[in-house]
Structure formats: C-alpha cells, structure tokens
Amino acid sequence: MSGGWAAKEFCDKGLKTLVLERGREVKHNIDYPTTNMYPWEFEHRGELTEAVKKENPIASRCYVFKEDAAHFVVKDKEHPYIQEKPFDWIRGYQTGGRSLLWARRTQRWSDFDFEGPARDGFAVDWPIRYKDLDPWYSYVEQFVGITGNKDGLPNLPDGDFLPPIELNCLEDHFKKVVEQNYPGRNVVNGRGAHITENREIFAKQGRASCQYRNLCQRGCPFGGYFNSNSSTLPWAARTGNLTMAHNTVVESIIYDEQKGKATGVRVIDAITKETREYFAKVIFVNAGSLNTNLILLNSKSGRFPDGLGNDNGLLGKYIAFHNYRAEISAEFEGLKDKSVSSRQPLSSYIPRFRNLKTQETDFLRGYAAEFSAYRSIHTNTEGFGTELKENLLNPQFGNWYVNAQMMGETIPKEESQVSLDAAKKDEWGVPLLSIRVDYDENDERMFKDFMEQFGEMYEAAGFTNIVKKDAKRPPGLDIHEMGGVRMGKDPKTSLLNKWNQLHNCTNVYVTDGACMTSTATQNPSLTYMALTARACDHAIRESKSK
Ligand SMILES: Cc1cc2nc3c(=O)[nH]c(=O)nc-3n(C[C@H](O)[C@H](O)[C@H](O)COP(=O)(O)OP(=O)(O)OC[C@H]3O[C@@H](n4cnc5c(N)ncnc54)[C@H](O)[C@@H]3O)c2cc1C
Ligand code: SF4
C-alpha cells in the first residue's frame, strides 16, 4: 500500500523507479480468480477445510483467510517467525501486499493524536503535527477516493470526501441517542476507500463506482475500492519510469562508509535463490512495518553493526498495535417495519471520545469503535414448485442485531520489540524475526471502560440481550502493527526525522507503519500513504537541490 504510493510519486515526477517485491505478480483483474464466483462455485462453499485450518492456526484466525481470498494471505509454514509471546502476524506477499485484503477504513489523525505522547509522557514527541500532514491527506484522498460525511469534529478531521455511504435506520437511531445524551460522542458514516461518485481522476485510473457487492477481499473488477494493483502501480507503470521485479527478496541495504550513505540493496531471487545487487540514489523501505524492521536490522556494516541507522540501539523497539479484543453485541426489538436489502461495505464509526482534552480515566489514551446493525432474515427453503417459490420470495424477518468492536490505542514501550533470531534462518538464509509484544495493564483498564460505556449507551438506545465478549485474541490480528523505526526530533531517542529519513543515513526513508511513533485509534493506512507522498516530495526536492 505505501510502496505503491512511493512508486507513483517518483514515476510521476520523471524518476526511474525500481520496485522490489518478494512475492508473485498479481495483475489487476487478471489475477483475481474468485472475483466473480457464486457461493456454489466454491468447492467448500467459501469455507476452508479443517486440514487447511489445522495447518494454518495463525492465518485462519484472520477473517479474510477463507476459500475466496486465502490465496492472498501468507500461509503459516511458508514464512515462519518466532513468537516470544503470542502474536498473529498476518501478511500478504504479492503485488499490492495487504492492500488487496484490507477493510478500506480510513480516518485522518487529529492533533489530539499527534500530541498524545508529549502530553501523556510516553514514547517520544512526534516531530510533526496535523497541519504538516493535512495537505497530504487531501492529496492522497483525491486520488484514492474516500467516502465520508463532513462531520466537523475536532477529534476526527474531515477529508476531501466523496458522498457518504448512508447509515441504516438502526445505526441512525443509535447516532441520535448517543449524540443527544452524550455530548462529545458521535456516530459517523463509515469513512473508507470506496468510490461513491465517478470522477475523471478515477476514470484515468480505470476505476469506477463501487457496486456494493462487498466481496472486496477477492480483488474488485470495478476498482471500486482502492488497492495498489488497480491504482498506484499501473499508474506508475504507464509513465514508462517503473520497473517492477517480483519474487525478489530484499535481504539488506548496502551502506557505503566512504560515501556515508546507502548505495543500494542486496536481494535474493525467491525462486532460484541467486543473489543480486541493485543501486539507487534514494531508497524507500516499505515492506510492511515488521518486515521493514527486519530489513534494517539485517543491514549490518562496519559503521552500523547493529542495523542501519541504529546508533541508539532503539531499532526494533517501541512496537505497538491496536487492541481489538473487546466486542459488544445486542438485539433491538423496534423498527420491525424496516429492513435493509443492500450490502454495506463500511460500517459506521464512533471516534475516540475518552481523554481528549483532559485525563479523565484511569488509563492513558482511548478507543474508537466500529458499529454495525443488521436485521436477521430467515428464508424457508422447504417445499416444491409454487410453494418453494413463495417461500423464497417471502423471507421471515427477525430482530435487529448490533455489534461494536473496540479499536484501542496501545502504548509503545521499549520492551515491546522485534529482533533477529541469532540462529534460525528462513529458506532464503535471512534470519527469522522474533516478536515480543503483549497487552499491558493500560489495555485491561481500557477494555473495562469500553464495556461499561458501550453497555450504558446500548441500554440508553433500548438494546436488549447485551453480550460482552473478550475475543482473547493475541496482539497482531488487528493487522495494524506499528513502530520500531519511530519518527522523532532527537537522533538519540528516535530513528527517523520529520521527513521520514533515517537520522544517520538520510537517503533511506521509511514511510510504512514502522515509522509510527504512536498508534492513535484510527485505521492507519491513510496516514502511511500521506506520510509516503510527503516524504517523496521531500526526497524529490532534495535531489533537485543537489
Ligand atoms: C484483513 C485486513 C483488513 C485490514 N483493514 C484495514 C483497514 O480497514 N484500514 C487500514 O488502514 N488498514 C487495514 N489493514 C492494514 C493494511 O492492509 C496495512 O496497514 C497496509 O497494507 C500496510 O501497507 P504497507 O505498505 O506498509 O505494507 P503491505 O501492504 O503489507 O505491503 C508490504 C509489501 O512488501 C513486500 N515485502 C515484505 N518483505 C519484503 C522483502 N524482504 N523484500 C521485498 N518485498 C518485501 C510484501 O510482499 C508486500 O507486498 C487491514 C489488513 C488486513 C489484512
Ligand atoms: S463492494 Fe465495491 S469495492 Fe467491494 S468488491 Fe464490491 S464493487 Fe468492488
């Protein structure tokens, strides 16, 4: 997702650009084998066999690891890693990475988020603020296509939105109850990377309006949602400046001590296992947070014996994630005269309301939540001929159901880290990544508060049969792992400066989740893309000024 943006920006500005991808090539539309399949065309009706699940205990905990999209998810045995503590590392090794699979939710950060570490005294201060990223959010949003409603909230800045996807009647009921009874709390239309209005910029990409099929993880024949395969990468290729090498594993970055900068990368052919070197003036590392940490840790030289740019020993440390463990569901017995017949690719969203202006709880930071509502339908498939037709045409509607999932910020800590295993290597001879990340007391307190606050709001909305669930999932399944190469003002306490350059090797930029100083509660990929576009602009300006 972020690397595609770097490719687009450099190619657009006339720079010859090489994208190195460890996985296979996946071409938009051509390599989406399941995109138009009906449920009955799948051998196992969309499910995976018990044998596949048993072989893949990690991947199969992810909801997209199903018969229609499992081919885009890394299987457990193919790319092992070490879990010092349980961590579900969900990856997609192919053109487009995990942009093929993502749930498309995108929200901007606000200054409540950028100022968090400085205000609350954890991690280090971000070297940028909202105003630095605001124009780059717009720049990315206009190209990607982001649906949303302009809500005018200080804690969730509005973007350059396409028309919103409507709330359904029960989401709307909950919105009214929450906003009338809980000042400062809001339920807003889902914000996400779906085209809801055709525009010239999307037509130029060969993309068109979302058809609400809600089968996005298969790859979308309309390009209705954003992924790198349908958007940034083909755009970059059309400039004639892009070369893309697949099945090419980046092993490390080459550092030239005499020149005092990085000169290229060492790669291993994933199929033949031959090694090669490529040389470049500027290198962007966008391997997807933890893999970016791995590459930098593995880039050892006389000048940097502990990994590229790692003078302060903090590379791989201060990893954080999102806490999605808490879920609260319920039933609603009203609105019996209404039902929904469309498919909604984005649910509604409740922005963070805790500890925004003052510290009001016994935990730091806060949580956002996604909220969805649907009505149960039962179709009687019994009978023959006319009776069967009548049954099929007249489904029985039951109660409405609602569900909210917490999206909690976690605190990056020094002990939350990744490192290279000293002995174990993968089949390409690259050291395995060892991951040590866990929940802490702050997460437990936040979990409790979410359940209390949502329980109360559910009761106020007249919801019944409230069920509070601790999904007990290990960290990682949120798929928002961040940090390890954090941005900061001071080279003694951070790895990257305000332009995402390594403090000590400025022609190497890191603009994926590895650069994140803290996590906020928002889905992070929009911020990775905006940071990438901003850093490319800086790199291009720098190279012109030399
Ligand atoms: C099911 C699911 C739902 C999600 N929902 C959301 C959401 O709603 N909103 C949101 O913001 N985010 C969401 N995400 C997360 C989102 O997909 C990631 O944040 C985003 O894709 C990260 O972009 P990236 O460029 O950092 O990495 P990726 O998209 O993962 O791309 C990294 C690329 O680097 C390649 N690579 C790795 N190592 C090497 C190497 N050594 N050499 C060469 N190539 C290498 C990989 O093969 C891959 O193609 C979701 C993810 C999943 C799987
Ligand atoms: S819901 Fe929209 S974006 Fe997703 S597959 Fe359907 S048309 Fe494509």
Side-chain angles (χ1 to χ4, degrees):
M1 181 115 57
S2 59
W5 264 94
K8 171 192 170 295
E9 291 306 295
F10 284 126
C11 290
D12 257 352
K13 304 285 159 31
L15 279 86
K16 294 286 175 203
T17 306
L18 173 64
V19 173
L20 300 171
E21 167 54 56
R22 71 171 301 150
R24 69 189 170 99
E25 181 168 23
V26 171
K27 284 206 181 95
H28 178 53
N29 267 338
I30 294 166
D31 297 313
Y32 300 160
T34 58
T35 190
N36 284 321
M37 280 173 69
Y38 289 103
W40 55 88
E41 292 178 303
F42 288 96
E43 194 181 349
H44 305 101
R45 301 296 181 268
E47 291 303 321
L48 290 171
T49 62
E50 288 306 311
V52 174
K53 286 192 217 164
K54 215 168 147 195
E55 264 177 36
N56 296 281
I58 300 166
S60 61
R61 279 197 282 274
C62 180
Y63 69 94
V64 291
F65 193 70
K66 292 272 158 51
E67 204 174 14
D68 65 341
H71 47 279
F72 293 143
V73 183
V74 164
K75 316 288 173 298
D76 293 6
K77 285 194 182 135
E78 288 170 355
H79 299 285
Y81 59 98
I82 292 162
Q83 302 180 61
E84 289 178 51
K85 295 184 171 188
F87 186 90
D88 288 341
W89 190 15
I90 307 297
R91 291 156 290 168
Y93 288 172
Q94 63 254 325
T95 326
R98 291 173 293 183
S99 75
L100 276 163
L101 295 164
W102 70 321
R104 293 102 37 217
R105 292 194 210 102
T106 51
Q107 309 93 19
R108 289 183 177 207
W109 280 37
S110 75
D111 268 335
F112 293 114
D113 305 301
F114 284 109
E115 286 165 7
R119 194 194 80 172
D120 295 350
F122 66 93
V124 288
D125 190 10
W126 276 86
I128 57 168
R129 289 292 183 264
Y130 178 68
K131 67 173 173 31
D132 298 305
L133 218 47
D134 176 13
W136 295 104
Y137 275 133
S138 298
Y139 182 78
V140 166
E141 285 162 348
Q142 285 162 12
F143 190 83
V144 163
I146 303 288
T147 166
N149 187 49
K150 287 200 186 275
D151 297 293
L153 304 175
N155 48 337
L156 197 72
D158 292 330
D160 275 33
F161 292 143
L162 301 171
I165 293 176
E166 277 180 45
L167 300 179
N168 68 35
C169 57
L170 186 50
E171 289 170 337
D172 198 42
H173 164 76
F174 190 55
K175 176 182 173 71
K176 287 189 181 116
V177 171
V178 169
E179 294 182 358
Q180 276 163 17
N181 296 292
Y182 297 88
R185 300 188 188 184
N186 300 87
V187 181
V188 302
N189 305 60
R191 298 179 176 188
H194 284 264
I195 297 177
T196 55
E197 183 178 83
N198 285 317
R199 288 190 181 166
E200 201 186 336
I201 185 65
F202 308 133
K204 278 188 185 161
Q205 296 170 47
R207 299 172 56 209
S209 225
C210 173
Q211 308 294 308
Y212 305 97
R213 309 178 332 140
N214 217 352
L215 300 172
C216 317
Q217 70 281 358
R218 299 179 181 184
C220 175
F222 308 96
Y225 80 101
F226 169 86
N227 60 26
S228 314
N229 311 56
S230 64
S231 176
T232 45
L233 288 173
W235 183 280
R238 281 194 289 275
T239 64
N241 291 322
L242 178 74
T243 306
M244 187 149 180
H246 285 90
N247 300 307
T248 305
V249 183
V250 174
E251 189 250 2
S252 58
I253 295 168
I254 304 164
Y255 182 77
D256 186 318
E257 294 191 19
Q258 249 119 49
K259 292 184 179 150
K261 61 180 187 178
T263 49
V265 289
R266 288 183 204 91
V267 305
I268 305 162
D269 187 301
I271 296 162
T272 65
K273 312 235 164 102
E274 280 165 15
T275 55
R276 281 193 299 277
E277 292 180 348
Y278 291 108
F279 298 95
K281 286 185 182 144
V282 174
I283 297 165
F284 269 58
V285 195
N286 295 83
S289 294
L290 300 189
N291 272 320
T292 288
N293 276 272
L294 191 161
I295 291 170
L296 293 181
L297 285 163
N298 203 33
S299 301
K300 295 177 181 169
S301 59
R303 166 70 185 84
F304 294 112
D306 300 318
L308 189 65
N310 191 16
D311 283 342
N312 56 25
L314 296 180
L315 179 60
K317 297 179 179 170
Y318 294 95
I319 303 283
F321 57 98
H322 279 154
N323 178 0
Y324 276 24
R325 248 172 60 192
E327 279 176 46
I328 178 163
S329 57
E331 288 182 54
F332 184 64
E333 293 185 19
L335 295 172
K336 286 280 169 62
D337 56 333
K338 295 191 170 64
S339 68
V340 275
S341 61
S342 69
R343 294 183 197 92
Q344 229 182 357
L346 292 169
S347 47
S348 61
Y349 183 78
I350 299 164
R352 173 180 154 211
F353 52 82
R354 278 307 207 194
N355 302 323
L356 281 175
K357 293 185 179 145
T358 54
Q359 182 62 38
E360 58 191 18
T361 65
D362 63 350
F363 58 88
L364 291 180
R365 317 305 298 153
Y367 47 80
E370 66 158 327
F371 175 78
S372 56
Y374 60 95
R375 192 156 180 206
S376 67
I377 298 181
H378 173 71
T379 306
N380 182 357
T381 53
E382 286 172 7
F384 290 99
T386 311
E387 187 192 355
L388 176 62
K389 278 188 203 158
E390 283 303 308
N391 285 343
L392 294 179
L393 287 170
N394 294 293
Q396 308 294 308
F397 289 97
N399 273 348
W400 284 85
Y401 288 84
V402 295
N403 190 65
Q405 181 166 45
M406 179 174 89
M407 304 160 124
E409 175 162 0
T410 70
I411 305 297
K413 299 174 294 285
E414 188 166 3
E415 64 268 27
S416 299
Q417 51 181 268
V418 295
S419 54
L420 300 184
D421 190 89
K424 294 195 184 110
K425 297 196 168 169
D426 67 14
E427 67 171 277
W428 297 272
V430 177
L432 295 193
L433 195 69
S434 184
I435 305 177
R436 176 156 38 106
V437 176
D438 208 348
Y439 296 107
D440 63 18
E441 192 51 38
N442 200 64
D443 302 319
E444 302 304 326
R445 293 200 191 116
M446 189 185 288
F447 177 96
K448 191 165 162 276
D449 187 73
F450 170 85
M451 289 303 191
E452 283 166 10
Q453 297 308 313
F454 272 71
E456 202 186 288
M457 292 192 288
Y458 271 24
E459 279 176 23
F463 299 162
T464 55
N465 291 334
I466 297 174
V467 178
K468 297 175 179 178
K469 184 176 151 199
D470 180 351
K472 295 215 168 81
R473 47 203 263 176
L477 211 48
D478 49 276
I479 322 176
H480 296 167
E481 63 282 354
M482 292 176 235
V485 197
R486 68 183 179 187
M487 294 171 76
K489 292 173 179 159
D490 184 352
K492 289 199 189 78
T493 56
S494 60
L495 276 302
L496 301 170
N497 68 14
K498 66 176 176 180
W499 300 111
N500 296 73
Q501 297 167 284
L502 280 175
H503 287 300
N504 304 327
C505 183
T506 52
N507 69 331
V508 174
Y509 290 72
V510 174
T511 63
D512 61 13
C515 76
M516 301 294 278
T517 310
S518 61
T519 72
T521 54
Q522 288 84 333
N523 295 77
S525 306
L526 178 68
T527 301
Y528 305 164
M529 292 192 271
L531 285 168
T532 304
R534 178 176 177 270
C536 288
D537 180 64
H538 179 263
I540 292 161
R541 278 190 288 113
E542 284 269 284
S543 65
K544 280 188 185 150
S545 71
K546 278 179 187 157

